[in-house]
Amino acid sequence: MKQIKIHVTAFMIIALTFGLGGLSFLAFFQTRDLLRTNLEAQITSLTLSSSSEVGLWLNAHKSELEIMANTPYVENGDKNAILAYMNKEIERNKDYEEFFYVDIEGNYLLNSGQRGSIIDRHYFQEVMATGESVVSDPLFSRGNSSHSIVVAAPIRIGNKVVGLLGGSINLSELIQLVSSKGVGEIGNTFIVQKDGLMIIHPKEDYIMSYNGRMYNRTSLDYRDTIKKMIRGETGVTKNTFEDGDKYLAYAPVPGIEWSLGVTVPVTYVLNQLYYLPIYFIAITSFLGIVMVVLMRRWLVHPLTELTKFTAELNDNIYERESNYQLESPVIEVEALATNFRRMTAALQENFRKLESSEVNLKQEIIEKMMVQKDLECSYEELEAVEEELRSNYEKLQSKEKLHRESERRFRSMLENVKLITGIMDKDGRIIFCNDFILGLTGFQRDEVVGHNFFDVFIPIGIRKSANAWFREVLESKNIVVHNIYPIQTKNGNTRVVHWNHTLLFDSEGNISGIASIGEDITERKQFQERLEHMSFHDALTDLYNRAYFEEKIRLLGGQDFAPVGIIVCDVDGLKLVNDTLGHTTGDKLLGLTAGLIKKCFREEDLIFRIGGDEFAIILPKSELSVVEQACYRIRKVVETYNMENKEFPLSLSMGFAVSEKTIVNVDEVFREADDGMYREKLHRSKSTRSALVQAMMKALEARDFITEGHADRLQELVITLGQALALSERTLADLRLLAQFHDIGKVGIPDSILFKPGRLTEEEFKEMQRHSEIGHRIAQSAPDLLPIADCILRHHEWWNGQGYPLGLKEDDIPLECRILAIADAYDAMTSNRPYRKALSQEQAFKELIDNMGMQFDPDLVPIFIKAIR
């Protein structure tokens, strides 16, 4: 027994030592893997955020150049004004080393006055080709002889690119930005171009060189990683460098074909785990020794005594008395010994009861076995009867199922057939008809059966021919199986039916009547006609469409139709209407134009809508005088419309041409008419846009009761403040124009928002904010309003930058807009509104003072109050 104790103790020492030691090493490896995983996740997240911030930094400079390129100073093309504007901006924006202006020929003008050509620069070619802003790869600046990044934005006049405005940012600015996003002392950050050129790196020897590809290194993994960065992929890898293994995370820079990478040494993780195994082993050894001592004292020794006690108890299981006792310091072991003793007494009592009941149990088993044999015989007889009953039941079920299926099919055929079924005798009287034809035509059965089929169902117009067909069939005994002719309903409507007829004979072979089955194809016929109409007509105006126009041109190429005249009309200003008032108003304008053109021609004349805003009329066999008279009618009806509807003028540009009398080249005639239309459109485009803008302003005044008298009062207020500031006459003239037209964009805002008496919702407020942009587009379309177009866009900007739509602040807001903001707010507060009464002058002054530095220029408010008082 002593030897057993020694073995158990030794086993426990070994098991605890190795178990806890193994757990310590497992914890070491798990901790190392966790730290590596967390490090990979952290540098990946850092890489993505750094690349996004570099992209945002570049996009911010691109947006700034786009705003500068859209200013009137640049768009006017005055190089002296552009030079002064660039010098002003270079003082304000320290990120740029220089600004330059480039015309469409590639000739540039630096803000320093230096001139030259950049026609060979890739960013110039890309801006000219795409019309989009560009951020170039680092290149050698010809202006300051350093490596720079060029941001270039197109300069547009209308939809045409006439040049670009660019700015050079020294590469050191980007290096400083990237360096600030690194991982401190443990790692580095770098940027690679799409061609593998290293443009940013902590080691200056690598910058602006292809050393980033590391082709001279033996690490294939690193070269593969650089290739993935060049392709714009995202990921994290482990690579071997000359100074050790490192993690390398990489991600593309949004908006430009660059890739940003971050490296961190692998030893950064292992250094944190250097002392972890030593701590685990020491703690594990100490705990193992303590646990072995305690377990030997409180567990091994009591269990040994318990084993000896149970062995003795087992040897004396059948004795009547048991006086074995076990004392142990472990309460549980002593309780276990007591339970063993009680269990032995209970077992001895059960043994005596089992002996007495054994004889009775044997007798009962014999009796039950006899009963079981009788039951088995009865079960076999019942199973045979049950099998026979089941077979008969299945046969009955099968027959009943077939009967129900046959009945269902027959009923379905009768209920679901949707065909006209009827039989008539040789006199044409109806002797049978189904419910479907009664429901279709609205007749009752007694109104049909016994009556002549042709008198009841055949329309009067074809009744005579139908009777003749019936008599011919009876005489010839030859019937056309399939034909199509209509029937009429009780209320006089007509239904088109496809018929299938069969002759009926009596026992002697004589014709006794005709059985007919018909299918109602009315909807199919109508749908087919609608499809044919839609294939050759424009859905908006119901005129013939472009496809039918081209088909007619092809068919008219012969002498039979010579001479052929073509008129081409184009709706002036439709794009301005669509951009400002919406496409719904533009569609209404197109429908109105189509209706006016229709009035000038007969129903049989061919009028087409061949484009978005373009119409054409073909006049076969028409001399030049006939075509000119048709053009005169069109101009006259447009003139009449404009006289009767002055609130929104309609303008059409027209061109026409007539072919020769012998040779007809319709394509050439159409091109000549189209060229004439475009010449007229170019001649009147500016005046048309100005007339539309004036009409929009009148429409706004007519529908916006809030602005009644507002423009006149506002002109007086801005002139009062402008004179107090000693502004020039030209600036005062622009202020008057701005006061009159600053809210012209409201013409494109729905009435439900414009006239809403309560507070606007967030969505409604965003829709209302669009009126600045709509007004800006309208002003750009009208030469008279072009000088104030930018002020209309910015007239809702706030001094603290919380305005819209650009979020400008302080002196970045044009002076005219700051003056208008104060005058507009004062007039609004001192005028009655549907939802409040007007404030007094002093109350309005207090509101202006309270909002100085927030909404209003703090320098202008006191001057305005003094001037008004």
Side-chain angles (χ1 to χ4, degrees):
M1 187 61 66
K2 182 177 180 181
Q3 189 67 22
I4 293 174
K5 292 180 181 179
I6 294 173
H7 289 169
V8 171
T9 303
F11 175 78
M12 291 172 61
I13 293 173
I14 294 171
L16 286 171
T17 302
F18 280 96
L20 294 175
L23 288 175
S24 67
F25 279 102
L26 179 62
F28 168 77
F29 289 116
Q30 292 291 334
T31 304
R32 184 188 63 184
D33 292 341
L34 180 61
L35 287 174
R36 286 177 176 175
T37 302
N38 289 339
L39 181 61
E40 291 178 4
Q42 289 176 3
I43 64 174
T44 299
S45 176
L46 175 63
T47 304
L48 290 171
S49 63
S50 298
S51 64
S52 297
E53 187 160 351
V54 172
L56 290 173
W57 186 78
L58 294 173
N59 283 332
H61 287 77
K62 187 192 297 184
S63 299
E64 188 172 13
L65 259 295
E66 290 175 348
I67 293 174
M68 292 174 62
N70 287 327
T71 58
Y73 301 110
V74 178
E75 291 178 345
N76 289 338
D78 185 353
K79 293 187 177 181
N80 291 329
I82 294 172
L83 183 63
Y85 177 68
M86 291 191 298
N87 284 321
K88 178 182 178 182
E89 288 297 319
I90 202 69
E91 292 295 324
R92 185 182 65 83
N93 197 328
K94 302 301 182 181
D95 287 348
Y96 291 91
E97 288 189 325
E98 59 187 10
F99 287 109
F100 57 92
Y101 163 80
V102 185
D103 61 22
I104 197 170
E105 301 297 331
N107 301 314
Y108 70 84
L109 171 64
L110 293 179
N111 61 283
S112 62
Q114 182 179 344
R115 300 174 184 267
S117 175
I118 60 166
I119 194 170
D120 59 333
R121 290 296 198 187
H122 180 266
Y123 65 83
F124 170 76
Q125 299 170 358
E126 186 173 353
V127 171
M128 292 296 106
T130 64
E132 301 292 335
S133 300
V134 170
V135 177
S136 75
D137 292 329
L139 45 82
F140 187 79
S141 176
R142 297 173 181 175
N144 52 25
S145 300
S146 62
H147 287 98
S148 305
I149 300 169
V150 174
V151 183
I155 302 172
R156 292 188 178 89
I157 296 180
N159 293 326
K160 183 179 179 182
V161 178
V162 299
L164 64 83
L165 187 70
S168 297
I169 304 175
N170 195 288
L171 191 61
S172 61
E173 296 289 335
L174 182 59
I175 294 174
Q176 182 178 0
L177 175 67
V178 173
S179 300
S180 66
K181 304 304 174 186
V183 289
E185 299 178 356
I186 64 171
N188 298 316
T189 305
F190 63 93
I191 295 179
V192 179
Q193 285 184 185
K194 64 178 180 180
D195 58 353
L197 183 66
M198 185 76 71
I199 59 175
I200 301 297
H201 197 278
K203 296 183 179 181
E204 294 183 358
D205 295 338
Y206 288 171
I207 297 177
M208 301 307 296
S209 71
Y210 289 89
N211 198 23
R213 294 191 179 185
M214 298 296 178
Y215 287 120
N216 59 334
R217 295 186 178 274
T218 59
S219 175
L220 296 176
D221 292 338
Y222 183 69
R223 284 187 282 174
D224 291 338
T225 301
I226 294 297
K227 291 177 181 179
K228 291 179 180 178
M229 293 178 67
I230 294 172
R231 290 196 298 267
E233 298 180 10
T234 301
V236 59
T237 60
K238 178 181 176 183
N239 304 107
T240 301
F241 295 81
E242 293 177 354
D243 53 350
D245 294 342
K246 295 182 179 180
Y247 289 105
L248 193 156
Y250 52 92
V253 177
I256 192 167
E257 295 181 326
W258 296 353
S259 184
L260 185 142
V262 175
T263 61
V264 176
V266 175
T267 55
Y268 177 73
V269 176
L270 298 178
N271 291 340
Q272 301 180 58
L273 299 174
Y274 181 78
Y275 294 103
L276 186 62
I278 299 175
Y279 294 155
F280 267 113
I281 293 173
I283 295 172
T284 299
S285 301
F286 173 77
L287 292 176
I289 295 171
V290 172
M291 290 181 66
V292 167
V293 172
L294 294 177
M295 290 179 68
R296 187 177 183 279
R297 170 69 179 84
W298 299 105
L299 184 60
V300 175
H301 180 72
L303 286 177
T304 303
E305 292 297 326
L306 181 61
T307 302
K308 178 179 178 181
F309 169 74
T310 54
E312 293 177 357
L313 190 62
N314 185 59
D315 293 339
N316 299 278
I317 191 68
Y318 292 104
E319 292 184 1
R320 300 290 296 180
E321 298 293 338
S322 180
N323 297 319
Y324 293 104
Q325 301 290 331
L326 176 64
E327 295 182 359
S328 172
V330 181
I331 297 175
E332 288 79 3
V333 175
E334 186 174 355
L336 186 61
T338 302
N339 290 336
F340 270 119
R341 195 163 51 249
R342 293 176 181 174
M343 182 183 67
T344 302
L347 286 173
Q348 291 173 349
E349 181 65 25
N350 289 332
F351 287 156
R352 288 193 296 272
K353 292 180 180 179
L354 287 173
E355 289 175 356
S356 62
S357 60
E358 183 177 0
V359 177
N360 295 331
L361 182 59
K362 288 180 179 180
Q363 185 64 31
E364 290 179 2
I365 291 173
I366 293 172
E367 293 176 356
K368 290 182 178 179
M369 289 177 64
M370 296 299 293
V371 173
Q372 185 176 1
K373 289 181 179 180
D374 295 338
L375 289 173
E376 288 177 353
C377 293
S378 299
Y379 286 154
E380 291 176 357
E381 294 176 358
L382 289 173
E383 287 178 355
V385 173
E386 183 182 3
E387 184 65 27
E388 183 177 0
L389 290 173
R390 185 181 295 110
S391 177
N392 293 334
Y393 177 75
E394 289 177 353
K395 291 178 181 179
L396 289 173
Q397 288 285 87
S398 178
K399 291 181 180 180
E400 185 179 357
K401 183 177 180 181
L402 291 174
H403 178 71
R404 286 199 304 269
E405 181 65 20
S406 177
E407 182 181 357
R408 186 190 64 79
R409 289 178 180 174
F410 183 70
R411 183 182 296 111
S412 176
M413 182 181 66
L414 292 179
E415 292 177 352
N416 296 324
V417 64
K418 300 298 182 182
L419 298 174
I420 299 170
T421 304
I423 300 174
M424 57 183 174
D425 60 17
K426 61 182 179 180
D427 295 325
R429 290 191 301 271
I430 301 171
I431 59 177
F432 169 78
C433 67
N434 65 348
D435 292 338
F436 180 74
I437 189 173
L438 297 176
L440 181 67
T441 60
F443 289 104
Q444 300 296 323
R445 189 173 296 277
D446 57 356
E447 296 176 312
V448 174
V449 177
H451 296 270
N452 187 278
F453 175 83
F454 301 97
D455 294 339
V456 176
F457 290 116
I458 302 302
I460 297 176
I462 62 171
R463 189 173 297 171
K464 184 176 180 181
S465 61
N467 273 295
W469 169 83
F470 182 69
R471 297 304 170 192
E472 182 181 353
V473 169
L474 294 178
E475 293 175 1
S476 64
K477 296 185 180 181
N478 185 18
I479 190 169
V480 178
V481 177
H482 299 283
N483 62 359
I484 296 176
Y485 63 86
I487 62 173
Q488 65 181 4
T489 62
K490 187 175 181 178
N491 58 12
N493 294 330
T494 302
R495 308 293 296 184
V496 181
V497 180
H498 179 265
W499 293 97
N500 190 341
H501 306 288
T502 302
L503 290 174
L504 300 177
F505 299 90
D506 58 17
S507 58
E508 297 178 357
N510 297 319
I511 294 177
S512 62
I514 294 178
S516 300
I517 296 177
E519 179 185 4
D520 182 14
I521 62 171
T522 305
E523 284 76 13
R524 187 193 311 169
K525 190 76 173 175
Q526 293 173 349
F527 181 69
Q528 182 179 0
E529 292 173 354
R530 287 198 300 270
L531 283 180
E532 292 176 356
H533 181 82
M534 291 170 62
S535 64
F536 293 109
H537 286 77
D538 174 55
L540 179 63
T541 62
D542 202 36
L543 300 177
Y544 291 118
N545 58 18
R546 179 77 184 215
Y548 190 58
F549 175 74
E550 293 176 352
E551 179 68 16
K552 293 302 294 183
I553 285 181
R554 185 180 65 82
L555 296 175
L556 291 174
Q559 296 183 1
D560 295 340
F561 303 98
V564 175
I566 295 180
I567 302 173
V568 179
C569 304
D570 188 273
V571 181
D572 298 327
L574 181 62
K575 184 178 185 304
L576 176 60
V577 173
N578 286 333
D579 291 344
T580 55
L581 303 182
H583 286 275
T584 300
T585 305
D587 291 345
K588 292 180 180 179
L589 183 61
L590 289 172
L592 170 66
T593 304
L596 293 177
I597 294 176
K598 282 182 182 179
K599 291 181 180 180
C600 302
F601 297 92
R602 299 167 298 177
E603 289 290 334
E604 58 269 20
D605 289 333
L606 301 177
I607 308 174
F608 306 85
R609 182 188 177 201
I610 60 174
D613 54 359
E614 201 167 347
F615 300 86
I617 303 97
I618 298 179
L619 296 92
K621 297 182 179 181
S622 299
E623 300 287 346
L624 179 61
S625 59
V626 175
V627 177
E628 289 178 340
Q629 184 64 26
C631 292
Y632 173 77
R633 290 198 302 269
I634 296 174
R635 296 186 191 281
K636 197 66 179 176
V637 76
V638 171
E639 181 181 347
T640 303
Y641 169 79
N642 287 335
M643 292 177 63
E644 297 174 353
N645 301 273
K646 296 183 179 180
E647 66 277 4
F648 198 83
L650 173 64
S651 176
L652 292 181
S653 295
M654 284 193 296
F656 65 90
V658 180
S659 70
E660 298 180 5
K661 295 183 179 180
T662 56
I663 302 175
V664 178
N665 187 341
V666 185
D667 290 332
E668 184 65 32
V669 175
F670 173 66
R671 281 195 294 271
E672 183 180 348
D674 197 47
D675 291 342
M677 180 273 293
Y678 274 110
R679 285 194 298 271
E680 181 172 318
K681 190 174 185 69
L682 290 174
H683 176 69
R684 64 197 302 174
S685 60
K686 291 186 178 180
S687 61
T688 300
R689 288 197 298 267
S690 297
L692 282 173
V693 170
Q694 292 293 335
M696 290 178 185
M697 194 62 194
K698 291 179 180 178
L700 180 63
E701 292 175 356
R703 64 196 279 260
D704 189 1
F705 60 87
I706 296 176
T707 61
E708 182 178 358
H710 172 63
D712 295 335
R713 295 192 303 272
L714 196 56
Q715 289 184 64
E716 296 178 1
L717 292 173
V718 297
I719 293 302
T720 300
L721 181 52
Q723 291 174 345
L725 295 172
L727 299 180
S728 65
E729 285 299 324
R730 179 177 178 180
T731 304
L732 293 177
D734 288 345
L735 276 173
R736 289 192 186 94
L737 204 60
L738 180 62
Q740 183 178 3
F741 288 97
H742 67 284
D743 276 339
I744 192 173
K746 287 185 179 179
V747 73
I749 303 302
D751 289 347
S752 59
I753 297 176
L754 195 62
F755 296 121
K756 185 175 181 179
R759 182 181 295 274
L760 298 179
T761 64
E762 183 177 354
E763 291 76 13
E764 292 172 338
F765 185 67
K766 289 181 180 179
E767 182 68 21
M768 176 64 83
Q769 288 180 336
R770 290 183 58 247
H771 82 273
S772 297
E773 301 173 15
I774 296 173
H776 179 251
R777 290 198 295 268
I778 295 173
Q780 285 184 320
S781 301
D784 297 338
L785 300 183
L786 187 59
I788 63 168
D790 286 338
C791 290
I792 291 177
L793 178 65
R794 296 167 170 84
H795 78 276
H796 274 290
E797 301 289 350
W798 283 24
W799 180 260
N800 62 359
Q802 299 299 313
Y804 64 87
L806 303 178
L808 302 179
K809 60 188 301 185
E810 298 181 2
D811 292 336
D812 291 338
I813 305 171
L815 176 62
E816 294 89 339
C817 297
R818 286 178 273 153
I819 292 173
L820 179 69
I822 297 172
D824 193 14
Y826 174 79
D827 185 71
M829 288 186 290
T830 56
S831 301
N832 289 320
R833 290 290 185 266
Y835 49 88
R836 64 160 177 81
K837 292 183 179 180
L839 301 180
S840 66
Q841 186 183 73
E842 293 303 322
Q843 289 175 327
F845 287 162
K846 184 178 183 303
E847 288 293 326
L848 292 177
I849 294 172
D850 291 342
N851 287 277
M852 287 194 313
M854 290 187 294
Q855 183 177 356
F856 308 119
D857 186 338
D859 296 329
L860 296 182
V861 171
I863 300 174
F864 176 78
I865 294 174
K866 182 179 179 181
I868 296 299
R869 280 177 173 165

